[in-house]
């Protein structure tokens, strides 16, 4: 059974940091590119960051470039999103996904809430 379980979300002040984790199971993690997406209330889900299956390539949305860093540990079947200099507009439910490099994505997690207070 495929599972992607996000953790690490929470409430943080503007300028603060959080590190999200996504633990994968039920598929060969090291053969999949991984992505992070987010969905704010009343908005469509948007791409945040992606990392290739070996971690050699990364790609970011312009809105998070320079502030967020995606990484992965294939030995632990886990992908991370380090978020620094957080802004209120980063408030959203964050999802991880597994699939091809920059899509399509086959598997999705349930999400973790990130709230940035002003």
């Amino acid at each position: 059974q495929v599972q992607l379980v996000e953790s690490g979300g929470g409430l943080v002040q503007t300028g603060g940091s959080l590190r999200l984790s996504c633990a994968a199971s039920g598929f060969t993690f090291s053969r999949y590119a991984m992505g992070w997406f987010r969905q704010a209330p009343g908005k469509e889900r948007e791409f945040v960051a992606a990392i290739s299956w070996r971690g050699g390539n990364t790609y970011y949305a312009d809105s998070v470039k320079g502030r967020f860093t995606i990484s992965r540990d294939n030995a632990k079947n886990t992908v991370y999103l380090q978020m620094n200099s957080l802004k209120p507009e980063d408030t959203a439910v964050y999802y991880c996904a597994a699939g091809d490099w920059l899509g399509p994505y086959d598997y999705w997690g349930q999400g973790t809430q990130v709230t940035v207070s002003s």
Side-chain angles (χ1 to χ4, degrees):
Q1 180 181 0
V2 171
Q3 279 195 312
L4 292 171
V5 180
E6 301 95 337
S7 61
L11 174 64
V12 65
Q13 291 185 332
T14 296
S17 298
L18 284 174
R19 189 174 85 149
L20 305 184
S21 300
C22 172
S25 61
F27 65 100
T28 307
F29 178 78
S30 60
R31 294 183 181 177
Y32 283 77
M34 298 297 296
W36 284 97
F37 293 77
R38 66 186 182 187
Q39 187 167 19
K43 295 187 177 181
E44 293 188 354
R45 185 171 60 194
E46 65 174 357
F47 169 82
V48 174
I51 188 166
S52 58
W53 60 288
R54 283 186 175 178
N57 292 303
T58 57
Y59 187 75
Y60 298 91
D62 287 344
S63 58
V64 306
K65 202 172 295 182
R67 300 188 298 122
F68 290 12
T69 302
I70 188 171
S71 61
R72 66 189 296 162
D73 185 339
N74 285 349
K76 295 182 178 180
N77 286 359
T78 301
V79 62
Y80 305 96
L81 186 68
Q82 177 67 44
M83 306 186 295
N84 299 328
S85 302
L86 283 161
K87 306 174 182 180
E89 50 264 44
D90 295 318
T91 294
V93 177
Y94 283 71
Y95 301 89
C96 68
D100 292 333
W101 173 242
L102 300 183
Y105 290 90
D106 300 318
Y107 309 126
W108 292 83
Q110 293 300 306
T112 185
Q113 176 71 47
V114 171
T115 303
V116 184
S117 63
S118 57

